[in-house]
Amino acid sequence: MHRSLSFNAVVCLSTLVPSSLLYAAQDPQVEALKQELQALKQRYEQQQQALMVLEQRVRQVEDQPAAAQPKRLVRSPAAKPSQPTGDGQSVAAAGSSSYGQSLQDDSQPAQSVSNLYDEASGFFGGGKFSIETGLTYSRYDTKQLVLNGFLALDSIFLGDINLDRIKSDTWTLDLTARYNLDNRWQFDVNVPVVYRETKFQSGGASGTPDDAGGAANALSEESVTRDPTIGDVNFGVAYKFMDESEYAPDAVFSLRVKAPTGKDPYGIKFRTSPTNSSLSYPESLPTGNGVWSISPGISLVKTFDPAVLFGSLSYTYNLEESFDDTSTTENQKVGGKVRLGNSWQIGAGVAFALNEKMSMSFSVSDVIQRRSKIKQDGDSSYTSVINSDANAAYFNIGMTLAATPNLTIVPSLSIGLTDDAPDFSFGLKFPYYF
C-alpha cells in the first residue's frame, strides 16, 4: 500500500514538471550525434577527393604511350597485329582496361628480338630496303711437321725434319644490299673486298745462300700480300614459306648464286725460297674460288620464351670449270678442268633478348667439304687433290645492339674447333633499315 502511494505521487509530480526541462536533458545526446554525423561527412568528402586523385593518376598511366611499357619475348615478329573492330578501334584498344588484354598488348616483340630473328634466319624484314656494311678479320695459324726420310730399326729416324708453319691474316669488307617484298620475299646482293697477308715459314734454313746445309733450328720466312681486291660477288633470294605458330617455327628457304669475280687459285706459280730449298710459297694469293656455285638452304627459328632456338642447313654445289692454266710449276702452262669439292653446312644455336635494345646468341656451325678433282689436258680421268677436303667447325658468339630504330650493330666472334677452321674470326656489321 505504501509503495503504490509513492508511485502515484511521483507520477503526479512529473506532470507538473515543465517539458523544457526534459528536452534539455536530451540536448547532449543530440549534439553528440550531430558531431558524429559531421565527422562522417568530412571523412566522406576526403574519400571522394582521394578517389578523384587516384582516378587522375590512373588516367595518366593509361594515356602513356605503349612504347614506354616493357616488352616481353613471347612471340615472333611475324605475329599479326590486333584486328580492328567495327568502330575503327583495335581489339586491344577496346579492351585496354582488362589486365589480360594488357598482357596481350605487351606481347609485341622488342626491337632486339626483331634484330635477333633477322640474324638467325637471314631474312631481314625490318624494312623494305636495307644496306649492310660489315668488316671481318680472320686469323689462321697452323704448324705441320714434315718428315723426309725413313725409320731405321723402328726407332731411329734418318732423314730431314722440317717444321712448316703458315700464318694468315684476312680482312674482308662486305657491302650488302637487301630488298624485302611484303615480308615474304627477299632479294640481296653482296660484294666482298678482300685483303690478305700470309707468311710461310720452314725449318732448315741455311746461314747463307751458298750454304748447302741447313740448321734444323733455323727458320726461313717468306711473306705474300694481296692488296684489297674484289672477291666473289654473290646474289641471293629468300622466301618465307611458313610463319611461326604455337607448334611451328618460322621457316625460310634461300637460294644463293656465287660468281667467280675474284682471283682464282689456279695457275698461281710456286717459288722456292733462296735460303731454304724446302720452303715453297705462292707468288700471289687468291680472293675467290674461280667457279660458279649454287647454294640452296633452309633456316628455322622458334621461340621458347625467353629463348629463341634457330638452325640452318645448306648445300653448296660447285660447277665444273675450265682454266687455261692449272699448273703450279714456274715457266709451265697446262690447261685443264676443275671440279671443286661440294660442301654441306649445318648450324644451330640459341639466343636471348637481354632487354629491348640488346640480345646475345650462341651457336655451333660446321662446314664439311669433299675433295676437289682436277683433269689436266692430256689426262684421261680426274685426279683427286690431296688435302683438299676439309671439316671446319666453329663456336660462334654474337650480339645485336639496336643503336637507333633504323641502325643495328652486330658484333660476332667465331672460334675454330678443328684444324681446318681459322683460329678465330671477329666480325662487325652495321645493317641500316630504310
Side-chain angles (χ1 to χ4, degrees):
M1 182 67 179
H2 175 74
R3 292 180 178 178
S4 62
L5 290 175
S6 300
F7 178 74
N8 292 332
V10 172
V11 172
C12 294
L13 290 174
S14 63
T15 58
L16 298 175
V17 177
S19 60
S20 60
L21 295 177
L22 295 176
Y23 286 114
Q26 297 178 357
D27 286 343
Q29 297 179 1
V30 174
E31 290 298 329
L33 292 175
K34 289 182 178 180
Q35 292 177 0
E36 292 181 3
L37 180 61
Q38 186 65 25
L40 290 175
K41 288 183 178 180
Q42 292 178 357
R43 293 177 184 176
Y44 178 74
E45 292 178 356
Q46 293 176 357
Q47 291 177 354
Q48 289 290 340
Q49 293 177 358
L51 288 174
M52 292 177 61
V53 173
L54 291 176
E55 186 177 359
Q56 291 177 356
R57 292 181 180 178
V58 171
R59 290 180 178 178
Q60 291 177 357
V61 173
E62 290 179 347
D63 292 340
Q64 288 181 356
Q69 301 295 327
K71 299 179 180 180
R72 291 181 292 273
L73 175 58
V74 295
R75 65 179 179 180
S76 73
K80 297 181 180 180
S82 302
Q83 298 297 327
T85 59
D87 57 357
Q89 296 181 350
S90 65
V91 176
S96 59
S97 61
S98 170
Y99 176 73
Q101 187 64 48
S102 66
L103 291 180
Q104 181 178 352
D105 298 340
D106 196 34
S107 65
Q108 294 293 338
Q111 184 176 353
S112 62
V113 180
S114 300
N115 297 334
L116 186 154
Y117 266 75
D118 293 345
E119 295 296 328
S121 64
F123 191 83
F124 293 76
K128 290 186 177 181
F129 183 73
S130 64
I131 293 179
E132 178 181 293
T133 302
L135 182 64
T136 304
Y137 169 73
S138 298
R139 172 70 176 183
Y140 185 86
D141 191 342
T142 181
K143 297 179 181 179
Q144 183 178 7
L145 185 64
V146 180
L147 304 178
N148 185 13
F150 63 94
L151 285 176
L153 302 178
D154 295 333
S155 60
I156 302 176
F157 180 80
L158 300 178
D160 296 330
I161 302 178
N162 290 329
L163 180 63
D164 292 343
R165 184 175 184 179
I166 299 176
K167 297 187 293 184
S168 178
D169 299 301
T170 304
W171 295 83
T172 304
L173 175 65
D174 287 291
L175 304 176
T176 306
R178 301 183 180 92
Y179 177 74
N180 187 282
L181 180 62
D182 297 332
N183 203 27
R184 187 63 59 181
W185 289 90
Q186 177 178 281
F187 306 90
D188 69 88
V189 57
N190 170 260
V191 179
V193 179
V194 182
Y195 169 81
R196 296 186 61 184
E197 180 180 3
T198 303
K199 295 181 179 179
F200 300 87
Q201 297 178 349
S202 181
S206 59
T208 61
D210 298 332
D211 189 358
N217 58 354
L219 291 177
S220 59
E221 179 182 276
E222 298 292 341
S223 180
V224 183
T225 301
R226 161 66 69 174
D227 292 334
T229 308
I230 293 180
D232 288 345
V233 177
N234 52 92
F235 311 86
V237 58
Y239 175 70
K240 181 186 288 188
F241 62 90
M242 183 168 59
D243 291 327
E244 181 177 1
S245 62
E246 183 178 1
Y247 301 103
D250 270 348
V252 177
F253 174 80
S254 62
L255 181 64
R256 182 162 296 278
V257 177
K258 181 182 292 185
T261 56
K263 170 60 179 177
D264 62 79
Y266 313 106
I268 296 179
K269 307 305 180 180
F270 274 72
R271 299 172 179 175
T272 301
S273 173
T275 60
N276 190 350
S277 60
S278 62
L279 174 60
S280 298
Y281 61 96
E283 60 182 4
S284 63
L285 299 173
T287 61
N289 292 330
V291 299
W292 287 86
S293 64
I294 302 174
S295 300
I298 186 173
S299 59
L300 306 175
V301 183
K302 185 69 175 74
T303 303
F304 290 94
D305 191 24
V308 175
L309 301 182
F310 56 91
S312 62
L313 176 66
S314 62
Y315 178 77
T316 300
Y317 176 78
N318 298 296
L319 279 66
E320 181 182 281
E321 191 71 31
S322 298
F323 296 91
D324 295 335
D325 190 6
T326 60
S327 174
T328 60
T329 305
E330 288 186 293
N331 302 323
Q332 183 178 357
K333 185 176 181 180
V334 180
K337 297 181 179 180
V338 175
R339 290 180 180 176
L340 193 62
N342 302 328
S343 62
W344 286 93
Q345 181 172 358
I346 186 172
V350 60
F352 299 90
L354 304 180
N355 51 47
E356 294 185 12
K357 299 294 184 180
M358 183 181 299
S359 65
M360 289 200 67
S361 63
F362 306 90
S363 64
V364 177
S365 59
D366 192 13
V367 179
I368 303 175
Q369 183 171 359
R370 303 179 61 183
R371 281 191 176 186
S372 301
K373 296 182 179 181
I374 186 172
K375 179 182 178 182
Q376 294 184 335
D377 293 343
D379 295 343
S380 59
S381 61
Y382 282 87
T383 303
S384 297
V385 180
I386 300 176
N387 291 331
S388 60
D389 54 336
N391 186 344
Y394 306 85
F395 177 72
N396 311 297
I397 303 174
M399 176 184 294
T400 62
L401 177 62
T404 68
N406 296 331
L407 177 63
T408 304
I409 302 175
V410 186
S412 62
L413 174 65
S414 297
I415 302 174
L417 303 179
T418 59
D419 293 337
D420 296 325
D423 295 345
F424 69 91
S425 297
F426 178 77
L428 193 61
K429 297 188 294 185
F430 301 90
Y432 185 86
Y433 303 90
F434 293 90

